[in-house]
Amino acid sequence: MSNKIKLYRFKIVMLLVCSVLFTCKQKQKSIDGVAQNTNRLPYYQDASFMPSWFQANDTALKNFHNIPDFSLICYTSTR
């Protein structure tokens, strides 16, 4: 194989590798201009479905609805 073909293939591979590296960066999404953390699930307060993110120790979380403890029952009536 000639050197020109090898060089051309090398350039193509390097271009693909660089484009993958630059485009795979995780971007932060923003709502109303405020950057939101995309690694956590949001809370929804009302029927407008505007997401809200809270810290784990935030006092606003105490006012949200919590699902009480429950246990599932299998179709064979075993837990």
Side-chain angles (χ1 to χ4, degrees):
M1 193 178 304
S2 73
N3 286 339
K4 285 185 179 184
I5 295 175
K6 287 181 183 179
L7 182 61
Y8 179 74
R9 284 186 178 176
F10 177 75
K11 287 180 180 181
I12 296 293
V13 168
M14 291 305 295
L15 178 67
L16 289 173
V17 168
C18 289
S19 63
V20 168
L21 289 176
F22 288 119
T23 58
C24 289
K25 181 181 177 185
Q26 182 179 5
K27 297 178 182 177
Q28 280 194 337
K29 298 179 183 178
S30 66
I31 297 175
D32 296 332
V34 178
Q36 302 294 331
N37 189 346
T38 58
N39 295 331
R40 293 183 285 132
L41 293 175
Y43 291 90
Y44 297 95
Q45 296 178 348
D46 53 21
S48 68
F49 290 108
M50 275 300 287
S52 300
W53 283 265
F54 297 107
Q55 298 296 329
N57 57 356
D58 200 333
T59 57
L61 285 177
K62 294 179 181 176
N63 298 331
F64 273 85
H65 169 72
N66 291 325
I67 299 172
D69 291 337
F70 65 93
S71 62
L72 298 175
I73 299 175
C74 184
Y75 70 94
T76 59
S77 298
T78 59
R79 293 182 187 248

